[in-house]
Amino acid sequence: MKIRGRIGTNTNAVDLLIDGGRIGAIAAADLSQRCDLGNEHLRLAAGFIDLQLNGYGGIDFNDAETTLEQIAELTCRVWRTGLTSFCPTVITESAEHISKCLSNIVRAADESPEFARAFIGVHLEGPFISTEDGPRGAHPRQHVCPPDWDQFRRWQDAAGGQIRLLTLSPEWPESCDFIERAAASGVIVAIGHTAATPMQISDAVKAGAKLSTQLG
């Protein structure tokens, strides 16, 4: 496949030669030859990546009843915005509800080629966050709880090992031990929805957690 356009602010058109889904070569556009997509006036750029996509267009990943067809539809819709890949995000809820949502997402990744192409792992945002109004945001307080490694492993099993990013608050006494285990398992732990002290945040970073500015 040949895609034509201009890269960045460059005024000269180029052809991207796509081979096996990857850019095989970039060459000066031969305007006497046709291309499969684009034209000499099109701007080419890398697609956007969203590490926290809770839903789009009224379709919610935090709804266990969201269908496979809806998830595929959501994926095609966000592609039209320039977003090419994302982490579907599940937020604070009951343990059972979170498990159902995670299972729903990995089933969609197995059955929808569109979603599988865009899916880069699950972001679990909570429930190990601050109970305080303000830092907690819109997360339901009744389901906020301290970090629990055994429960997290159950969720990871429900997700088929696809939880790649976890947002928590390090203000809990159990936080640093949990962060060390999660980081050692390959999960990126992000600090968020927190009322933690500077010392608690520093200890969490030493244990392996990431600040939001480190995730880009």
Side-chain angles (χ1 to χ4, degrees):
M1 177 182 288
K2 184 188 295 184
I3 301 176
R4 182 167 296 163
R6 302 177 186 181
I7 297 176
T9 59
N10 199 306
T11 58
N12 298 317
V14 298
D15 287 334
L16 304 187
L17 306 179
I18 309 300
D19 183 15
R22 296 178 179 272
I23 298 174
I26 301 176
D30 181 352
L31 300 183
S32 67
Q33 301 292 321
R34 65 173 295 277
C35 64
D36 299 296
L37 290 172
N39 57 62
E40 63 269 28
H41 305 296
L42 186 72
R43 291 291 176 186
L44 302 176
F48 295 114
I49 298 173
D50 194 339
L51 298 181
Q52 180 174 329
L53 188 68
N54 299 86
Y56 186 77
I59 300 170
D60 187 359
F61 287 117
N62 208 56
D63 182 350
E65 303 304 317
T66 295
T67 66
L68 170 66
E69 291 74 21
Q70 287 176 313
I71 291 176
E73 178 187 350
L74 176 154
T75 304
C76 293
R77 285 184 183 181
V78 299
W79 277 344
R80 291 194 288 270
T81 71
L83 182 66
T84 57
S85 52
F86 56 84
C87 291
T89 301
V90 176
I91 70 167
T92 302
E93 250 293 350
S94 69
E96 181 181 6
H97 181 90
I98 290 174
S99 292
K100 288 180 179 178
C101 291
L102 294 172
S103 297
N104 201 37
I105 289 169
V106 294
R107 182 178 67 85
D110 287 338
E111 299 181 21
S112 166
E114 297 89 357
F115 180 59
R117 193 175 303 129
F119 177 57
I120 55 175
V122 174
H123 178 180
L124 181 58
E125 186 190 12
F128 312 137
I129 58 174
S130 178
T131 60
E132 294 187 20
D133 292 344
R136 192 182 71 256
H139 293 240
R141 189 183 190 283
Q142 68 269 29
H143 296 304
V144 173
C145 59
D148 182 330
W149 181 250
D150 290 336
Q151 178 58 69
F152 178 75
R153 289 305 309 167
R154 288 191 287 272
W155 286 329
Q156 189 67 289
D157 288 342
Q162 291 299 317
I163 299 175
R164 302 289 176 81
L165 176 60
L166 171 70
T167 294
L168 60 67
S169 171
E171 63 201 72
W172 301 93
E174 303 89 346
S175 295
C176 285
D177 178 64
F178 180 94
I179 291 167
E180 288 178 353
R181 291 188 179 195
S185 74
V187 175
I188 296 173
V189 180
I191 297 172
H193 287 284
T194 183
T197 66
M199 181 60 71
Q200 288 171 324
I201 291 173
S202 177
D203 288 344
V205 171
K206 291 175 183 176
K210 305 291 185 181
L211 303 172
S212 60
T213 55
Q214 296 174 310
L215 296 176

